[in-house]
Amino acid sequence: SSGINAEYGGKDKDKIIIFGRKETAFIKDSKDEDIKKVLKKIFKEQISAITFASNVEVPKIVIEAAKECGAIITQSKFGYTDTGFQIAQFLTKKLSTTDNMHATFLQIYGKGVIITGESGIGKSETALELIKNGHQFIVDDGLIIRRIGNELFGESPDNIKNLIEVRGLGIMDIT
């Protein structure tokens, strides 16, 4: 049955509710005063945001209740399940632990490889040779290491993405 249950969780505002087509239809078919009462309780006590999936039109009653309570409403073009996946993926990445490292990072045979060493030792030159042999360049001298669960991921800051500095040649764009 499609309903709205305001009796989940505690008072921590660490939840996001996703409403799809069925939940939105339920809201539209219900009495305004009933829905408003439930929404106010949800907004005040339990959630950070409501996301409407599948590009459904957000009912006016929800917008009004959100304004009264200072709550956040978002809309997603993705279906219900994909919206949940996108939100989880986004939050996992944004809330993960990161560390910066002065190193060159490549993907070699599907595995991340970090090349470290003193300045001028030849990390970038070594990376260029590996790139010539078909391996994927990720970053030179600005590695961001992100821990998600028990795994480590390496990535490049946007401002130096695809750039490598080779002594005597200068900064080169690898794309």
Side-chain angles (χ1 to χ4, degrees), residues 70 89 115 152:
Q89 195 173 37
I115 303 172
L152 298 176

Side-chain angles (χ1 to χ4, degrees), residues 91-134:
L91 290 174
T92 297
K93 185 173 181 180
K94 289 297 179 187
L95 299 175
S96 64
T97 305
T98 62
D99 199 4
N100 296 327
M101 186 174 192
H102 182 76
T104 301
F105 185 59
L106 296 104
Q107 183 177 337
I108 300 175
Y109 299 119
K111 299 290 182 186
V113 175
I114 300 172
I115 303 172
T116 62
E118 295 177 26
S119 182
I121 201 164
K123 296 181 297 291
S124 299
E125 292 81 358
T126 302
L128 269 182
E129 288 302 316
L130 289 164
I131 293 163
K132 285 181 193 175
N133 289 319

